[in-house]
Amino acid sequence: MRLSERPLIARAEIDECVRRLAREIAARYQDGGGLVLVVVLKGATIFAADLMRCLDVHPLRVEYIRAKSYDGTDSVGEVELIVLPDLSVAGQRVLVVEDILDTGRTTTAILSALEDAKPASLELCTLLDKVSRRVIPVNAKYVGFSIDDHFVVGYGLDYREEYRSLPEIYVLEPSSA
Ligand code: XMP
Ligand code: MG
């Protein structure tokens, strides 16, 4: 596997997209009622760090949840969730921050675990959406980019834990391509 020569999504497009999402989210939550961002580790960390610094919503709390469903570039179908001990969201307005929606299995598992914790509201923001790959319907209120069915890395997204630190988003291509 090797990286595409040019980024699929360049720095300036990412920055503009993060600002747009922050405006959309603020328009919904700017009433002083507060918000808990639940950031999905590890892929969404860089996106969430940029997003929260643009987000004019107060009070803003940030929590993390860990989900794992991929081995290399293949979804294994089963989702392992690790909920961190201080994730209490009962009565709170919650926005889940994801890196990418693919089959929808991971996000569905996360949303249903959070729903069990009785939040006042529960919405989803994803940086990337591979719409054509969806197996379970998921309603993402805030979507950064809809992309074709490529395996992408960078800006938090990994291939076997590599490439997360790249500042732009690249396609991972088979070496023979
Ligand atoms: P599902 O299929 O559950 O998958 O919607 C969502 C999770 O799978 C990972 N994923 C990717 N990771 N590049 C990545 O680095 C990709 O193109 C990709 N597609 C899916 C990701 O962890 C996401 O949370
Ligand atoms: Mg991953």
Side-chain angles (χ1 to χ4, degrees):
M1 307 290 274
R2 55 141 207 235
L3 290 184
S4 51
E5 225 161 89
R6 294 154 56 86
L8 177 70
I9 310 174
R11 197 57 256 166
E13 294 172 88
I14 296 173
D15 288 345
E16 192 189 322
C17 172
V18 167
R19 285 195 298 270
R20 169 180 61 83
L21 291 171
R23 278 195 304 273
E24 291 175 14
I25 296 163
R28 157 81 169 88
Y29 293 102
Q30 225 166 18
D31 56 6
L35 181 64
V36 182
L37 294 183
V38 174
V39 179
V40 183
L41 296 172
K42 301 174 189 174
T45 52
I46 293 180
F47 168 48
D50 283 346
L51 182 70
M52 70 179 85
R53 284 178 290 179
C54 294
L55 198 54
D56 188 16
V57 172
H58 309 278
L60 186 76
R61 198 176 118 201
V62 185
E63 299 292 348
Y64 296 89
I65 194 168
R66 175 104 164 87
K68 229 180 148 190
S69 66
Y70 256 68
D71 178 24
T73 60
D74 298 316
S75 180
V76 294
E78 270 178 41
V79 181
E80 180 194 348
L81 277 193
I82 300 165
V83 181
L84 303 185
D86 50 357
L87 192 72
S88 54
V89 297
Q92 311 279 310
R93 302 194 295 189
V94 173
L95 179 67
V96 174
V97 182
E98 264 280 26
D99 53 356
I100 187 163
L101 258 176
D102 186 352
T103 64
R105 289 192 185 100
T106 307
T107 311
T108 300
I110 290 166
L111 292 174
S112 84
L114 287 168
E115 198 62 74
D116 290 347
K118 303 269 185 291
S121 65
L122 183 59
E123 289 187 332
L124 173 65
C125 173
T126 186
L127 175 66
L128 303 173
D129 188 358
K130 287 190 200 173
V131 186
S132 68
R133 292 263 308 161
R134 200 76 84 254
V135 172
I136 305 177
V138 178
N139 180 21
K141 183 85 181 281
Y142 311 98
V143 177
F145 302 96
S146 291
I147 61 168
D148 292 337
D149 182 16
H150 307 294
F151 195 84
V152 292
V153 296
Y155 197 63
L157 292 124
D158 74 303
Y159 173 66
R160 298 188 173 160
E161 299 302 325
E162 211 185 324
Y163 305 121
R164 290 193 200 278
S165 61
L166 296 175
E168 307 184 292
I169 296 168
Y170 291 81
V171 175
L172 200 63
E173 299 167 335
S175 311
S176 54

